[in-house]
Amino acid sequence: MDLSVEGKSERIPPGSHILQLYNKVSEISGVTARLIEVGLASSEKCLFAGSPTSCAEVEQGLTKAGVDVAAAQEAGQLVFLSERDTLLVGKRFDPYHLLSTHQTFIAQALREGWKAVRISMDMSWLTHEIATPEQVLKYEAASDAVFTFQNAPIIALMHYDYSKLPGALVVEMLKLHPIAVVGKFIKRNPYYLNSEQYLLKILRVNREKNRVVAV
């Protein structure tokens, strides 16, 4: 599997959990279109979730690259989601529910005979006004723990508008991703942390908070 940004490519193994920080939504389409293009050519099932405008931009990028988007969708190999309610619990963001939708997508793809999956999702679009920084970190830590450490047959590329995130959250997000895309650059993260331990720390802090409230 590979990821390409502005002509630069990085070989990445199955189970890779990748962060893209952007400040213009248009930055999503170039990286995602290439990710999906390679996935489709490799008999992998691909999904992109974002606003209708972002979906249209990714589709245009794929068409420009010579991909028959309609045929891929008809075959069930390519899925676009532009209604975020399908990824929420009611109108609420649940980090573990979102993770379970990824696992369901993987299982379905393998049953259908595809070799692996690629998921690209605009998380700023999905979490806007409904998710706390803590919930976002729980999702990212849990995803990395499940996908990376289990070597799952997936590449997960998650996009965040860093101009809308608290600086402290950006720092924590970078810790949780072994590979990050920032602007025109794709880099391996030397400060990547063991997300299983990170997740346990979050759960421990929550228990302590609940204990204080109970007292």
Side-chain angles (χ1 to χ4, degrees):
M1 296 182 175
D2 76 299
L3 181 71
S4 297
V5 179
E6 294 288 328
K8 302 182 182 73
S9 294
E10 181 76 37
R11 295 295 298 173
I12 50 180
S16 291
H17 183 234
I18 306 163
L19 170 70
Q20 180 180 18
L21 296 174
Y22 69 86
N23 62 3
K24 296 180 181 178
V25 177
S26 59
E27 294 176 23
I28 293 175
S29 58
V31 180
T32 294
R34 177 58 180 165
L35 180 82
I36 292 177
E37 177 193 354
V38 175
L40 295 175
S42 302
S43 296
E44 298 170 11
K45 189 178 178 80
C46 302
L47 177 147
F48 174 71
S51 68
T53 298
S54 291
C55 286
E57 289 179 352
V58 171
E59 182 173 346
Q60 289 170 8
L62 288 169
T63 300
K64 185 177 180 180
V67 175
D68 188 336
V69 174
Q73 289 179 291
E74 186 176 347
Q77 189 182 7
L78 176 60
V79 178
F80 286 105
L81 286 180
S82 59
E83 294 292 335
R84 69 177 188 170
D85 286 356
T86 61
L87 300 169
L88 304 175
V89 178
K91 300 291 183 179
R92 182 172 57 86
F93 177 79
D94 183 324
Y96 303 115
H97 170 75
L98 183 59
L99 177 58
S100 74
T101 68
H102 303 335
Q103 293 172 306
T104 298
F105 190 75
I106 293 172
Q108 178 184 357
L110 296 179
R111 284 196 303 270
E112 293 172 355
W114 306 111
K115 293 180 179 179
V117 307
R118 298 191 180 205
I119 293 176
S120 175
M121 191 170 294
D122 183 357
M123 291 295 291
S124 289
W125 161 80
L126 178 62
T127 62
H128 181 60
E129 295 185 342
I130 59 170
T132 65
E134 184 179 66
Q135 288 176 318
V136 170
L137 287 175
K138 281 182 180 179
Y139 164 73
E140 294 294 346
S143 294
D144 195 53
V146 171
F147 299 146
T148 302
F149 289 93
Q150 294 183 9
N151 197 35
I154 182 175
I155 289 179
L157 173 61
M158 301 301 167
H159 315 270
Y160 288 88
D161 182 347
Y162 64 80
S163 68
K164 296 179 180 178
L165 299 176
L169 179 57
V170 172
V171 172
E172 295 301 304
M173 295 272 282
L174 286 169
K175 292 178 183 178
L176 288 167
H177 294 82
I179 301 174
V181 177
V182 183
K184 298 180 180 180
F185 301 96
I186 176 171
K187 293 184 177 181
R188 290 192 174 273
N189 179 12
Y191 304 106
Y192 170 62
L193 296 178
N194 182 317
S195 57
E196 290 184 316
Q197 294 301 318
Y198 192 96
L199 185 59
L200 288 173
K201 183 178 76 172
I202 291 176
L203 295 174
R204 184 167 59 250
V205 169
N206 286 343
R207 285 198 298 269
E208 291 174 355
K209 286 182 179 178
N210 292 336
R211 188 159 50 243
V212 170
V213 171
V215 171

